Amino acid sequence: EPTITADGNTIYFARFAGSGDKRVLGTTTDIFVTHRIRQTGEWPGTGADWTPPERLPDTVNSDSIDQEPRITPDGKTLYFMSRRSGNPDIWVTQKQPNGEWMAAQPLPSAVNSPHIDHCFMPFNLPGAPETSVFLSIRPREAGAPPTPDLYTTRMDKGVWQPAKRYE
């Protein structure tokens, strides 16, 4: 589940507790980061070209499942899936000028549903700038069983627009 900054020098990824890494809280997954320290030669280089993975702080990670990170092209906003509210939802955090991450918040109900919502995939779809795609397992209509579908949403003037099933 890696996501790479536009400059190729930072990778965010989920690490599972089963990996044996004692930094992962509980029996879940947490989000980690590594930075490319030697930027010459072919990408991605070797393990020696990258910092040891560091767990993101508790302002981002929780004692629940935190995974599926997606970083924006500017490297300042991180979206991810978390089960901290009981149901898998999409959460967001912003990197501050001092390098610290703000407390993660769930996206509003215009995007997240009472069902299973997985994290954003691409940003800025061809022909649809500022539009993002995510997977959700929700009913297509009232009373119908939940089914997995792709949904689109976009932010317009700082407000998330209602998610629409991709057709």
Side-chain angles (χ1 to χ4, degrees):
E1 302 176 337
T3 183
I4 303 168
T5 56
D7 65 8
N9 293 325
T10 304
I11 302 174
Y12 296 90
F13 61 96
R15 183 168 269 183
F16 293 75
S19 69
D21 191 327
K22 302 296 184 208
R23 298 172 294 173
V24 178
L25 295 182
T27 59
T28 61
T29 58
D30 283 332
I31 300 171
F32 283 69
V33 63
T34 182
H35 304 279
R36 191 169 185 212
I37 50 179
R38 186 173 22 210
Q39 298 173 9
T40 58
E42 226 177 282
W43 194 94
T46 68
D49 296 329
W50 295 86
T51 62
E54 298 174 29
R55 182 182 177 273
L56 292 185
D58 290 342
T59 55
V60 178
N61 284 305
S62 68
D63 59 357
S64 188
I65 293 172
D66 299 303
Q67 59 188 40
E68 301 174 5
R70 298 292 179 260
I71 193 73
T72 55
D74 66 7
K76 296 179 181 177
T77 305
L78 183 70
Y79 294 94
F80 60 98
M81 188 275 288
S82 181
R83 287 194 67 137
R84 65 187 77 188
S85 58
N87 210 38
D89 281 324
I90 302 169
W91 287 65
V92 62
T93 181
Q94 274 92 25
K95 191 179 228 180
Q96 300 305 295
N98 65 3
E100 294 185 18
W101 290 97
M102 292 181 64
Q105 301 292 318
L107 291 188
S109 60
V111 179
N112 282 324
S113 73
H115 302 281
I116 297 171
D117 300 305
H118 287 274
C119 196
F120 289 116
M121 290 179 258
F123 298 98
N124 298 322
L125 296 175
E130 305 300 321
T131 300
S132 296
V133 176
F134 66 99
L135 175 72
S136 186
I137 304 172
R138 56 177 82 171
R140 290 184 177 174
E141 55 194 41
T147 59
D149 283 302
L150 292 177
Y151 285 78
T152 61
T153 187
R154 64 185 180 85
M155 188 177 285
D156 186 21
K157 298 178 183 161
V159 177
W160 285 102
Q161 299 304 299
K164 297 178 185 174
R165 189 167 65 85
Y166 185 77
E167 301 201 32

